[in-house]
């Protein structure tokens, strides 16, 4: 007797209610933070292109810290190495949640977004490398256009007043989470220098203590805050970018709840730090990283020098081709059927939107091009490429917003006001 054909899963269909609740909470904070990030970037650009640009540079380059501990850093470096560690700590928690209870917990559900994200990282790097090689440029910036900035992308959606369905937003969030993991691995592997193995050994010992405290259910911020700061400082002095420490601690935090807990340590930490990350840490990093001089000549160099041109093409073309092709091929391979209410044009719009690569792209640009004059051109390319990607995505999304509005209203309608949308009670699925 022939086996029954395997039921095809639905791609971008109705999210399970617990997953939708978690995604909605995360994206609400990211959206607000994205608007603050957008404002900070505008302030940086305006400030750096006024007669008071000298004051901007003085503030950005002002040094303070504890020299004896190797922590006498500029304001710009405190933002990049210190504040962004909070961002990557939250990213590590989000990744751990996805791996334990989210879309990445099983190979079947993880395959499609992971393949799409990986293709969305490889293709921009390949486009950059091809552009740089064709015009005799440096290959050092191959990793710059690889990461998606979820906060900036959500800020664009907020400005557009779009009603993107939860499944599309969740897919974008998963792409960004995998992107962040890829970016931190690239930073850890390719952008390390002058390794201090004693300090790295201390970092490892600190992470082991952090794990043991979690294992034995030790609570109290007075244990974790000093330990976390020590791990961060040791990682920085070890020659590995300090943001790696944030991801490591985020992955160690426990995401499952005990019977007597209303929230896991990861949930409590994320609830506390997510607003700080999205509303303070990332915008302050943008304020001191996005201040580049803009002129007709400098913009012209973005398209005439191979390195910045490679960044722009990687963000706008590489990201789009990589994510769309990866998603389509993964769907065919896993026999997933697209939600009949949506079209592949919606995936294309999402792929274009993922070309907004602001925060992590700026960070990698600074690491790949230590020379400030070269870094300025790369920063301008990141800003311009992200602006082009945002503009193209806005056109594509606006064309479909009538459909998005209908789907959004259907999945949020709650006539009996019980806090659970009627569609979940009507279908009887996705509540667990």
């Amino acid at each position: 007797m022939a086996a029954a054909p395997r039921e095809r899963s639905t791609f971008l269909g109705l999210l399970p209610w617990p997953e939708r609740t978690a995604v909605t909470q995360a994206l609400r904070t990211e959206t607000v933070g994205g608007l603050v990030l957008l404002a900070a970037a505008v302030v940086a650009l305006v400030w750096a292109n006024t007669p008071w640009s000298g004051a901007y540079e003085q503030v950005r380059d002002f040094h303070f810290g504890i020299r004896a501990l190797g922590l006498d850093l500029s304001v710009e470096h405190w933002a990049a190495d210190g504040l962004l560690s909070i961002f990557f700590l939250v990213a590590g928690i989000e990744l751990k949640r996805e791996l334990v209870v989210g879309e990445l917990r099983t190979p079947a559900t993880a395959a499609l977004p992971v393949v799409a994200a990986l293709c969305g990282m490889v293709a921009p790097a390949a486009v950059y490398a091809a552009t740089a090689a064709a015009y005799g440029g440096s290959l050092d910036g191959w990793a710059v256009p690889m990461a998606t900035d979820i906060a900036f992308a959500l800020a664009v959606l907020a400005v557009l007043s779009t009603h993107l369905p939860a499944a599309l937003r969740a897919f974008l969030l998963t792409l960004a989470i995998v992107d962040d993991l890829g970016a931190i691995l690239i930073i850890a592997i390719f952008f390390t220098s002058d390794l201090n193995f004693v300090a790295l050994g201390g970092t490892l010992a600190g992470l082991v203590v952090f794990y043991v405290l979690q294992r034995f259910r030790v609570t109290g911020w007075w244990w974790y805050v000093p330990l976390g700061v020590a791990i961060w400082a040791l990682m920085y002095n070890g020659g590995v970018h300090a943001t790696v420490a944030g991801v490591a601690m985020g992955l160690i935090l426990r995401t499952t709840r005990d019977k007597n807990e209303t929230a896991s340590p990861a949930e409590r930490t994320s609830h506390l730090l997510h607003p700080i990350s999205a509303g303070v840490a990332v915008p302050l990093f943008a304020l001191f990283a996005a201040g580049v001089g803009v002129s007709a000549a400098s913009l012209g160099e973005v398209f005439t020098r191979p390195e910045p041109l490679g960044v722009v093409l990687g963000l706008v073309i590489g990201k789009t081709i990589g994510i769309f092709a990866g998603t389509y091929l993964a769907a065919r391979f896993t026999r997933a059927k697209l939600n009949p209410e949506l079209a592949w044009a919606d995936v294309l719009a999402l792929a274009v939107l993922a070309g907004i690569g602001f925060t992590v792209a700026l960070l990698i640009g600074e690491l790949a091009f230590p020379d400030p004059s070269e870094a300025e051109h790369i920063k301008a390319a990141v800003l311009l490429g992200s602006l082009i990607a945002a503009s193209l995505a806005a056109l594509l999304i606006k064309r479909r917003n009538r459909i998005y509005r209908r789907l959004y209203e259907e999945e949020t309608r709650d006539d009996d006001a019980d806090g659970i949308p009627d569609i979940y009670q009507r279908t009887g699925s996705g509540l667990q």
Side-chain angles (χ1 to χ4, degrees):
M1 186 177 193
R6 187 180 63 182
E7 183 180 353
R8 301 176 67 186
S9 60
T10 301
F11 171 49
L12 298 179
L14 185 67
L15 291 176
W17 176 242
E19 178 70 6
R20 185 181 185 279
T21 301
V23 167
T24 300
Q25 291 174 347
L27 293 183
R28 184 181 296 115
T29 303
E30 290 286 358
T31 300
V32 175
L35 293 172
V36 179
L37 169 64
L38 185 60
V42 171
V43 169
L45 282 171
V46 172
W47 192 1
N49 289 276
T50 64
W52 301 280
S53 59
Y56 174 82
E57 294 173 359
Q58 286 181 339
V59 173
R60 183 190 63 192
D61 299 334
F62 178 75
H63 277 66
F64 67 96
I66 306 173
R67 187 181 297 274
L69 297 179
L71 297 175
D72 183 24
L73 310 177
S74 68
V75 170
E76 181 181 17
H77 282 134
W78 275 114
D81 294 88
L83 291 178
L84 279 194
S85 295
I86 300 175
F87 165 79
F88 278 108
L89 171 59
V90 174
I93 293 172
E94 288 294 330
L95 176 63
K96 179 76 172 288
R97 191 196 70 81
E98 288 288 329
L99 289 170
V100 175
V101 297
E103 288 293 299
L104 304 181
R105 68 186 181 278
T106 62
T109 57
L112 205 153
V114 168
V115 169
L118 291 177
C119 291
M121 296 172 68
V122 172
V127 168
Y128 175 93
T131 304
Y135 295 100
S138 170
L139 296 178
D140 291 345
W142 60 273
V144 175
M146 292 178 66
T148 295
D149 194 304
I150 183 65
F152 217 126
L154 292 172
V156 171
L157 294 178
V159 171
L160 292 175
S161 298
T162 184
H163 294 77
L164 211 63
L168 284 171
R169 292 177 184 265
F171 186 62
L172 182 63
L173 176 62
T174 305
L175 287 176
I177 289 172
V178 177
D179 265 355
D180 287 339
L181 175 62
I184 204 67
L185 288 175
I186 288 168
I187 290 172
I189 295 171
F190 295 100
F191 296 103
T192 58
S193 59
D194 301 325
L195 294 180
N196 182 332
F197 291 101
V198 174
L200 290 178
T203 303
L204 181 59
L207 290 173
V208 170
V209 173
F210 195 99
Y211 172 79
V212 170
L213 292 176
Q214 284 289 290
R215 181 75 174 175
F216 286 93
R217 304 304 195 260
V218 177
T219 59
W221 63 267
W222 50 89
W223 291 100
Y224 293 99
V225 172
L227 179 60
V229 172
I231 291 171
W232 172 86
L234 287 166
M235 182 75 78
Y236 177 84
N237 283 285
V240 177
H241 201 273
T243 52
V244 177
V247 171
M249 287 183 282
L251 290 173
I252 291 174
L253 280 169
R254 180 167 53 85
T255 56
T256 55
R257 302 177 186 178
D258 289 339
K259 291 182 179 180
N260 60 338
E261 289 182 322
T262 56
S264 68
E267 288 174 314
R268 293 194 297 269
T269 305
S270 180
H271 179 74
L272 176 66
L273 293 183
H274 206 159
I276 297 174
S277 169
V280 179
V282 174
L284 280 178
F285 167 77
L287 180 63
F288 296 110
V292 297
V294 177
S295 64
S298 63
L299 291 178
E301 288 186 344
V302 169
F303 295 102
T304 56
R305 298 179 56 150
E307 296 87 357
L309 178 61
V311 170
V312 172
L313 295 180
L315 288 172
V316 178
I317 297 176
K319 270 290 183 183
T320 301
I321 293 175
I323 290 177
F324 182 81
T327 303
Y328 181 79
L329 293 175
R332 292 291 299 272
F333 179 76
T334 59
R335 294 181 54 80
K337 60 180 180 179
L338 183 66
N339 182 349
E341 299 283 355
L342 298 172
W344 284 105
D346 302 307
V347 179
L348 178 64
L350 213 62
V352 175
L353 185 66
I356 300 175
F358 190 75
T359 305
V360 178
L362 290 175
L363 175 62
I364 295 179
E366 291 181 347
L367 297 174
F369 296 94
D371 186 336
S373 61
E374 293 181 348
E376 289 288 297
H377 294 105
I378 298 300
K379 288 181 180 180
V382 170
L383 295 173
L384 190 58
S386 298
L387 179 61
I388 294 172
S391 301
L392 292 175
L395 293 175
L396 294 173
I397 290 172
K398 273 298 186 182
R399 288 181 62 251
R400 301 275 294 172
N401 199 42
R402 181 177 57 82
I403 295 172
Y404 298 154
R405 184 187 297 273
R406 177 175 58 80
L407 292 175
Y408 179 82
E409 290 175 350
E410 287 179 1
E411 67 181 27
T412 57
R413 186 171 181 177
D414 184 18
D415 288 339
D416 56 5
D418 65 348
I420 299 177
D422 298 338
I423 190 171
Y424 287 95
Q425 297 167 322
R426 186 168 63 249
T427 61
S429 63
L431 287 174
Q432 300 299 320

